C-alpha cells in the first residue's frame, strides 16, 4: 500500500502535539474529576478556594487541550496535503491502474497512528505524573485528593482522538484524490493559474521572495504559531509559579518549548525541502549564500516576530482572566501585572535560539547543490 | 582558457573521476561523449566550480579553482559560467520572463527581452514553463543562461529529453549563439551524431578520458544524423 506504517510514524511532529495535549488533559481532568468528588467534604471555610481550584483545573485542561487538538488537526491536514502533493504521481498511477479513491484514501488512516502514539504516551505519562501534581496542588487544611483511575479518560484521551484522526485523514485524502488522474500524474505544476499577478516589474530576488511567501501561506501560520507558543507559554510558565503551583508553571514552560521547537523545525524543514530546486539553481548561477537564504526564508521571519508579540499579549490576557475571574473570590491571590523582565528575557532567548535555527538551515541551504536535484530524476 | 589536470573525485569511496585532464581554449566547442554513469556530469560540475575535486587542479582564466574559497567560487560562477540541463530546471511558478531574469539580474543585463526574442519566444514572455513544450522550455533555459553573458557555457545533455525535430532546433540555437558571441561551449551528450557538430570530441569511460579527437569540419545541426 502507498502509505506504510513507517509513514504514520514519520509524523512525529503531530505525535508530539498530541502527546502534550494528552499529558496535560490527563492530569488536569483527572484532578478535576477527583476533586469534584470531594465537594461534600470541604468545609465552608475553604469553599471559595476549593471552587477556584476546580475552576482552574477545568480552565487549563479545556484551554490547552482545545488549542492543542486544533493545532494537531491543522498539522495533520498540512502533512497529508504535503504527502499527496509529493506522491501525486504515484497516486495518479495507482488511480489509473484502477484503484478506487476509497481504497487509496483508506491507506491514509495510517496517519491516525500518529495520534495513537502521541495520545497513549501522553496519557501514560500524564497518569504517572498525577500523584506529584496532586501533591503540589494540595492546599493546607483541605482534605487530600486521592488518585483514581478513570476509564472514561482513557477512552476520551486515547481512543476517541485516534479514531477521529484516522477519520479526518481518510476524509481529507478522499477529497484531495478527487482531482483527475492526469492532474495527479503531472503534479501540481499542471494547475498553475494563467492569470498570476506577475506583471509588476520586480527583480528576480524580490520575485522569488514574494512567490515563495505567497505559495506557502500555511507555513507563515506555523512560523507565527511556533513563536506564539514560545512567547505565550514560556512567559506564562514563568509567571504562573506565583499564581498557581511551581509544577504547573514548569509543565506549561516545557510544553511551550517542545511545541515551539517541533513546529519551528517542521516549518523550516518543509520550507527548505520545498525550495531545494530553486536554491540549487541559484547556487549554480552564482547567487550568494545570503541571497539564496533571504529570498527563500527571509519572508517568514517577520511572521515569527508577529507571533511572538501576539503570544505575549495572549498570555497577559489569559492570566488576567484567570486572576480576575477564576480567583476572583479568593483573597490571597496576588495581583498579576505584565512582567517586563520576563518578557525581555523570553524575547532575548527567542531571538538567540531563532537565529541559531536559521543559521543551521542556512548552512544546510548552502550545501545543497544541483547534483542532488539531478540525481533525483 | 579552461584547463584541468589529473582530476580525481570520489563519492562515498567510489571513484567517479579517475585522473581527467583537459585543455580547452577560448571559443572552442567541446562535446563530451560517454555512457551513462561514466562521470560526465560530475566532470562538468567540477569544471564549473560547483563541486571541488578531491585531487588535481582546475584552472580557468588564470584562477586556480581549488584555491578559491566558497564565496570566490560563487563569484566565479556568477561572472563566467552558464549552465543548461537536460531536465530544464526552470522555476515553474515564475514566468518565462522572470526565469530569464534569474540570469540577467546577476549581471545587471536589462536587455533580456531581446534574448527571449532571439530564441523565438517573444510571444511567451508571461507564460509559465509548464505551459510550454519541451523544446520551448529548453529554449528558455538557453535564454536564461545567455542572459548572464557567460564566457563558458556548460550543457548537460541539453537535447536528451527532446525529440529529433526540437532537438535539432535547440542544437542549432546553441551553435548559432556560440558563433555569434564567441562563447566557449562544453556539452555533454551520449548521442554520437551530435558530436559531429563539435570542434573537439572527448570520450569518457569509467571516469577516464579514453579518446580525444578534432573534427576538421564540424557539421550543422541539420547535417548530422540523429
Ligand atoms: N553527489 C553524488 N553522490 C553520490 N554519488 C554520485 C554523486 N554524483 C554522481 N554520483 C555517482 O557517480 C557516478 C557518475 O555519475 P555522473 O557523473 O552523473 O555520470 P554521467 O553524467 O556520465 O551519467 C554515478 O554512479 C553516480 O551515481
Ligand atoms: Mg549525467
Amino acid at each position: 500500500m502507498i502509505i506504510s506504517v513507517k509513514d504514520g510514524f514519520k509524523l512525529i511532529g503531530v505525535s508530539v502535539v498530541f502527546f502534550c495535549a494528552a499529558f496535560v488533559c490527563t492530569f488536569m481532568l483527572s484532578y478535576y474529576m477527583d476533586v469534584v468528588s470531594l465537594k461534600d467534604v470541604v468545609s465552608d471555610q475553604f469553599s471559595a478556594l476549593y471552587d477556584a481550584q476546580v475552576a482552574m483545573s477545568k480552565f487549563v485542561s479545556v484551554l490547552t487541550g482545545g488549542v492543542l487538538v486544533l493545532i494537531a488537526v491543522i498539522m495533520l491536514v498540512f502533512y497529508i496535503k504535503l504527502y499527496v502533493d509529493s506522491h501525486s504521481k504515484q497516486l495518479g498511477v495507482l488511480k489509473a491502474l484502477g484503484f478506487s479513491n476509497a481504497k487509496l484514501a483508506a491507506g491514509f488512516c495510517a496517519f491516525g497512528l500518529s495520534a495513537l502514539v502521541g495520545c497513549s504516551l501522553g496519557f501514560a505519562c500524564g497518569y504517572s505524573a498525577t500523584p506529584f501534581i496532586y501533591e503540589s496542588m494540595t492546599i493546607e487544611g483541605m482534605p487530600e485528593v486521592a488518585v483514581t483511575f478513570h476509564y472514561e479518560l482513557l477512552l476520551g484521551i486515547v481512543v476517541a482522538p485516534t479514531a477521529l484522526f484516522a477519520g479526518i485523514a481518510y476524509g481529507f485524502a478522499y477529497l484531495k484524490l478527487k482531482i483527475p488522474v492526469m492532474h495527479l500524474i503531472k503534479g501540481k505544476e499542471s494547475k498553475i493559474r494563467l492569470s498570476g499577478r506577475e506583471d509588476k516589474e520586480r527583480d528576480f530576488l524580490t520575485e522569488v521572495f514574494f512567490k515563495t511567501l505567497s505559495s506557502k501561506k500555511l507555513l507563515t501560520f506555523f512560523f507565527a504559531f511556533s513563536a506564539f507558543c514560545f512567547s505565550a507559554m514560556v512567559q506564562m510558565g514563568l509567571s504562573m509559579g506565583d499564581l498557581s503551583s511551581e509544577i504547573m508553571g514548569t509543565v506549561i514552560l516545557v510544553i511551550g518549548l517542545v511545541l515551539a521547537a517541533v513546529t519551528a523545525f517542521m516549518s523550516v524543514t518543509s520550507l527548505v525541502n520545498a525550495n531545494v530546486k530553486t536554491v540549487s539553481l541559484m547556487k549554480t548561477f552564482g547567487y550568494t549564500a545570503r541571497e539564496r537564504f533571504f529570498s527563500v526564508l527571509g519572508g517568514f521571519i517577520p511572521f515569527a516576530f508577529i507571533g511572538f508579540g501576539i503570544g505575549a499579549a495572549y498570555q497577559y490576557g489569559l492570566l488576567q482572566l484567570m486572576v480576575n475571574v477564576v480567583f476572583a473570590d479568593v483573597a490571597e491571590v496576588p495581583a498579576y501585572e505584565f512582567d517586563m523582565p520576563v518578557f525581555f528575557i523570553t524575547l532575548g532567548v527567542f531571538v538567540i535560539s531563532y537565529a541559531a535555527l536559521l543559521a543551521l538551515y542556512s548552512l544546510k541551504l548552502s550545501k545543497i547543490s544541483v547534483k542532488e536535484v539531478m540525481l533525483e530524476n | 582558457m579552461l584547463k584541468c589536470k589529473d582530476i580525481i573525485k570520489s563519492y562515498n569511496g567510489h571513484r567517479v573521476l579517475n585522473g581527467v585532464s583537459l585543455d580547452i581554449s577560448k571559443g572552442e566547442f567541446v562535446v563530451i561523449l560517454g555512457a551513462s554513469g561514466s562521470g560526465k556530469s560530475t566532470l562538468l560540475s567540477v569544471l564549473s566550480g560547483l563541486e571541488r575535486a578531491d585531487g588535481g587542479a582546475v584552472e580557468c582564466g588564470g584562477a586556480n579553482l581549488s584555491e578559491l574559497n566558497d564565496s570566490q567560487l560563487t563569484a566565479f560562477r556568477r561572472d563566467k559560467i552558464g549552465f543548461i540541463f537536460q531536465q530544464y530546471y526552470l522555476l515553474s511558478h515564475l514566468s518565462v520572463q522572470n526565469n530569464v531574469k534569474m540570469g540577467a539580474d546577476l549581471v545587471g543585463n536589462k536587455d533580456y527581452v531581446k534574448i527571449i526574442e532571439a530564441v523565438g519566444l517573444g510571444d511567451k514572455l508571461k507564460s509559465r514553463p509548464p505551459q510550454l513544450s519541451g523544446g520551448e522550455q529548453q529554449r528558455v533555459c538557453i535564454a536564461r543562461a545567455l542572459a548572464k553573458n557567460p564566457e563558458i557555457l556548460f550543457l548537460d545533455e541539453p537535447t536528451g529529453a527532446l525529440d529529433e525535430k526540437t532537438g535539432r532546433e535547440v542544437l542549432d540555437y546553441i551553435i548559432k549563439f556560440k558563433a555569434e558571441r564567441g562563447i566557449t561551449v562544453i556539452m555533454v551528450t551520449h548521442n554520437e551524431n551530435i558530436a559531429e557538430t563539435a570542434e573537439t570530441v572527448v570520450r569518457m569511460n569509467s571516469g577516464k578520458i579514453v579518446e580525444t579527437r578534432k573534427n576538421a569540419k564540424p557539421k550543422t545541426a541539420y547535417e548530422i544524423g540523429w
Side-chain angles (χ1 to χ4, degrees):
Chain A
M1 203 45 228
I2 194 156
I3 306 272
S4 58
V5 174
K6 211 172 111 218
D7 285 315
F9 279 109
K10 266 196 203 154
L11 295 160
I12 292 176
V14 181
S15 294
V16 170
V17 176
F18 271 112
F19 174 87
C20 295
F23 180 72
V24 176
C25 289
T26 301
F27 68 72
M28 286 317 290
L29 285 175
S30 173
Y31 181 78
Y32 174 67
M33 290 163 106
D34 289 338
V35 91
V36 158
S37 64
L38 286 180
K39 190 150 184 67
D40 301 332
V41 216
V42 177
S43 55
D44 282 349
Q45 177 198 354
F46 285 112
S47 73
L49 200 55
Y50 169 81
D51 287 344
Q53 283 290 74
V54 173
M56 207 263 293
S57 55
K58 204 157 116 190
F59 183 75
V60 172
S61 44
V62 168
L63 201 91
T64 41
V67 169
L68 293 179
V69 166
L70 189 73
I71 297 307
V73 173
I74 297 174
M75 279 171 82
L76 195 72
V77 169
F78 173 76
Y79 267 113
I80 295 173
K81 185 173 136 44
L82 267 187
Y83 191 88
V84 173
D85 286 346
S86 63
H87 289 69
S88 72
K89 199 173 234 160
Q90 215 177 344
L91 287 168
V93 170
L94 286 175
K95 242 179 107 166
L97 289 174
F99 281 89
S100 67
N101 285 351
K103 199 155 186 181
L104 290 174
F108 281 77
C109 290
F111 281 112
L113 272 181
S114 59
L116 182 64
V117 172
C119 289
S120 335
L121 285 177
F123 184 78
C125 294
Y127 190 70
S128 330
T130 29
F132 305 103
I133 305 272
Y134 281 24
E135 207 185 306
S136 82
M137 298 221 238
T138 305
I139 296 164
E140 225 174 293
M142 242 167 56
E144 249 178 53
V145 188
V147 180
T148 349
F149 187 81
H150 299 279
Y151 285 97
E152 56 269 45
L153 281 186
L154 181 64
L155 210 65
I157 293 177
V158 180
V159 181
T162 305
L164 184 70
F165 273 80
I168 292 178
Y170 177 86
F172 186 76
Y174 189 82
L175 283 182
K176 287 239 53 161
L177 280 168
K178 277 199 156 168
I179 16 180
V181 172
M182 275 327 282
H183 283 227
L184 278 174
I185 292 180
K186 278 194 180 166
K188 233 179 148 183
E189 309 195 340
S190 63
K191 37 172 210 206
I192 282 172
R193 273 162 290 133
L194 273 164
S195 56
R197 275 165 289 158
E198 169 116 45
D199 295 328
K200 269 179 233 149
E201 267 300 313
R202 296 202 282 227
D203 59 34
F204 174 75
L205 286 175
T206 320
E207 191 64 32
V208 171
F209 181 94
F210 284 112
K211 275 280 151 55
T212 314
L213 203 54
S214 68
S215 66
K216 294 275 175 286
K217 289 190 197 79
L218 196 55
L219 277 184
T220 56
F221 168 79
F222 280 110
F223 271 83
F225 175 71
S226 164
F228 172 88
C229 282
F230 186 88
S231 163
M233 296 179 88
V234 169
Q235 289 184 72
M236 203 187 303
L238 293 176
S239 318
M240 195 93 157
D242 308 333
L243 297 174
S244 170
S245 65
E246 290 291 343
I247 287 202
M248 276 304 295
T250 314
V251 165
I252 290 191
L253 184 92
V254 170
I255 288 182
L257 289 177
V258 170
L259 272 184
V262 167
T263 38
F265 271 108
M266 188 200 81
S267 32
V268 184
T269 307
S270 53
L271 191 58
V272 168
N273 288 345
N275 286 291
V276 165
K277 190 169 133 187
T278 310
V279 167
S280 64
L281 264 172
M282 288 174 71
K283 181 174 179 181
T284 309
F285 272 62
Y287 283 92
T288 62
R290 195 192 204 94
E291 287 166 333
R292 297 189 306 254
F293 176 77
F294 277 104
S295 58
V296 169
L297 277 167
F300 294 86
I301 296 171
F303 288 91
F305 281 92
I306 293 172
F308 189 92
I310 298 177
Y314 174 83
Q315 65 92 27
Y316 174 71
L318 208 62
L319 287 182
Q320 279 296 355
L321 200 72
M322 198 158 110
V323 170
N324 294 331
V325 179
V326 180
F327 288 113
D329 303 331
V330 186
E332 303 148 43
V333 174
Y336 169 70
E337 270 159 31
F338 192 80
D339 198 335
M340 270 300 164
V342 164
F343 174 78
F344 281 110
I345 292 170
T346 314
L347 183 61
V349 175
F350 173 74
V351 170
I352 292 168
S353 37
Y354 222 72
L357 178 78
L358 291 181
L360 190 76
Y361 275 90
S362 109
L363 195 71
K364 196 174 161 184
L365 273 181
S366 73
K367 293 243 166 78
I368 292 173
S369 91
V370 82
K371 252 333 214 8
E372 284 148 53
V373 187
M374 283 163 72
L375 285 176
E376 263 175 28
N377 290 298
Chain B
M1 169 91 206
L2 181 60
K3 247 191 227 171
C4 71
K5 197 160 165 39
D6 302 328
I7 297 292
I8 294 194
K9 177 83 188 168
S10 306
Y11 294 111
N12 322 314
H14 169 64
R15 196 164 271 201
V16 176
L17 295 180
N18 196 3
V20 175
S21 303
L22 269 177
D23 190 347
I24 298 165
S25 40
K26 188 166 163 51
E28 193 174 348
F29 183 9
V30 180
V31 160
I32 302 175
L33 282 171
S36 180
S38 54
K40 307 181 297 291
S41 299
T42 306
L43 179 62
L44 279 198
S45 56
V46 169
L47 290 178
S48 60
L50 267 177
E51 280 184 295
R52 289 173 190 281
D54 301 334
V58 183
E59 199 199 298
C60 182
N64 186 344
L65 295 196
S66 50
E67 282 167 5
L68 303 182
N69 65 24
D70 279 355
S71 55
Q72 288 168 324
L73 262 186
T74 301
F76 165 78
R77 287 198 302 274
R78 188 186 56 219
D79 299 339
K80 309 258 174 180
I81 300 297
F83 235 112
I84 292 170
F85 306 96
Q86 175 179 1
Q87 299 297 338
Y88 322 132
Y89 300 127
L90 291 164
L91 301 180
S92 55
H93 52 299
L94 298 187
S95 64
V96 165
Q97 183 176 353
N98 281 318
N99 269 285
V100 175
K101 265 195 205 167
M102 176 169 181
D105 279 1
L106 272 173
V107 292
N109 180 355
K110 301 268 176 252
D111 264 352
Y112 59 89
V113 175
K114 280 205 189 112
I115 302 170
I116 304 176
E117 283 164 356
V119 294
L121 293 172
D123 54 340
K124 304 262 163 133
L125 288 180
K126 305 266 188 255
S127 304
R128 305 288 168 83
Q131 300 163 331
L132 302 179
S133 71
E136 285 169 335
Q137 291 191 52
Q138 196 58 299
R139 272 142 64 194
V140 178
C141 294
I142 294 177
R144 179 177 66 179
L146 291 180
K148 71 194 283 289
N149 298 324
E151 289 176 25
I152 310 171
L153 186 58
F154 290 94
L155 304 105
D156 196 347
E157 313 239 8
T159 58
L162 303 176
D163 59 64
E164 175 177 344
K165 184 170 168 292
T166 48
R168 282 187 200 273
E169 265 168 34
V170 163
L171 188 60
D172 193 45
Y173 275 115
I174 295 166
I175 296 171
K176 193 178 100 193
F177 286 122
K178 185 227 154 243
E180 270 175 20
R181 297 169 170 237
I183 319 170
T184 309
V185 173
I186 303 171
M187 180 161 83
V188 160
T189 177
H190 56 237
N191 182 337
E192 299 273 343
N193 293 313
I194 289 180
E196 294 176 33
T197 61
E199 290 151 9
T200 308
V201 182
V202 172
R203 190 181 301 274
M204 284 186 73
N205 193 3
S206 306
K208 278 193 168 138
I209 291 181
V210 290
E211 182 197 343
T212 307
R213 70 180 151 85
K214 301 269 177 198
N215 276 336
K217 196 169 175 304
K219 294 184 177 166
T220 71
Y222 294 101
E223 287 168 353
I224 56 170
W226 197 267

